[in-house]
């Protein structure tokens, strides 16, 4: 993991990069889970229906370049969004964000992911999460 990463709160000026990260990573996530391309919705179009701003939103940012590399959104006992720029998959950005959420919310912490999203499943298991329930949809 890069040592020059900090986690900070979302600012309105972050919206374009948050959308770009979500849209790029979400398409990869859907493909890995073998979900139809028709299921993809850009964050700009789905954020209201998905209640994106009803969460606390945090970003992982490189201190030196001020580049946002990923984001997470959470509420008490639930990690609702976690996306990392595909350029930084495997660089520890997701770990950094999850650890921040774990340190700043109540337990137990609920996380949901698409079945077939093996990289996310491995990450969560590495951090001590255990499958509780599997559902379709």
């Amino acid at each position: 993991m890069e040592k020059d990463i900090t986690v900070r709160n979302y600012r309105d000026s972050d919206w374009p990069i948050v959308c770009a990260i979500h849209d790029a990573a979400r398409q990869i996530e859907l493909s890995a889970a073998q979900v139809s391309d028709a299921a993809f919705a850009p964050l700009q179009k789905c954020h209201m229906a998905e209640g994106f701003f009803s969460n606390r939103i945090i970003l992982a940012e490189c201190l030196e370049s001020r580049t946002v590399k990923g984001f997470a959104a959470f509420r008490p006992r639930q990690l609702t969004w976690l996306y990392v720029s595909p350029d930084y998959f495997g660089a520890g950005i997701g770990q950094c964000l999850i650890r921040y959420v774990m340190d700043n919310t109540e337990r137990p912490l609920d996380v949901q992911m698409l079945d077939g999203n093996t990289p996310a499943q491995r990450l969560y298991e590495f951090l001590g999460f255990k499958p509780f329930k599997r559902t379709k949809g």
Side-chain angles (χ1 to χ4, degrees), residues 10-11 13-24 43 52-53 57-59 68 70-71 83:
Y10 172 86
R11 297 185 288 252
S13 61
D14 296 319
W15 182 240
I17 190 64
V18 166
C19 286
I21 290 169
H22 169 272
D23 294 355
L43 187 58
F52 183 72
F53 287 109
I57 304 164
I58 56 170
L59 289 83
V68 175
F71 72 91
Y83 286 97

Side-chain angles (χ1 to χ4, degrees), residues 8-116:
R8 66 167 176 81
N9 287 318
Y10 172 86
R11 297 185 288 252
D12 289 342
S13 61
D14 296 319
W15 182 240
I17 190 64
V18 166
C19 286
I21 290 169
H22 169 272
D23 294 355
R26 178 70 171 160
Q27 292 180 67
I28 293 167
E29 174 189 26
L30 292 172
S31 177
Q34 299 180 344
V35 175
S36 166
D37 290 344
F40 172 73
L43 187 58
Q44 181 69 40
K45 291 187 177 184
C46 72
H47 73 281
M48 293 294 286
E50 298 285 337
F52 183 72
F53 287 109
S54 66
N55 300 279
R56 179 171 175 204
I57 304 164
I58 56 170
L59 289 83
E61 181 178 73
C62 175
L63 286 170
E64 185 177 321
S65 67
R66 294 290 187 216
T67 305
V68 175
K69 299 185 177 195
F71 72 91
F74 66 101
R75 58 180 67 133
R77 297 188 175 156
Q78 188 176 28
L79 174 59
T80 53
W81 301 73
L82 176 69
Y83 286 97
V84 173
S85 172
D87 294 340
Y88 299 100
F89 283 0
I93 306 301
Q95 268 187 57
C96 180
L97 289 162
I98 293 169
R99 289 184 194 281
Y100 183 93
V101 171
M102 291 170 66
D103 289 344
N104 289 279
T105 194
E106 302 165 25
R107 302 282 174 80
L109 182 61
D110 178 54
V111 175
Q112 297 178 14
M113 73 189 94
L114 290 173
D115 198 23

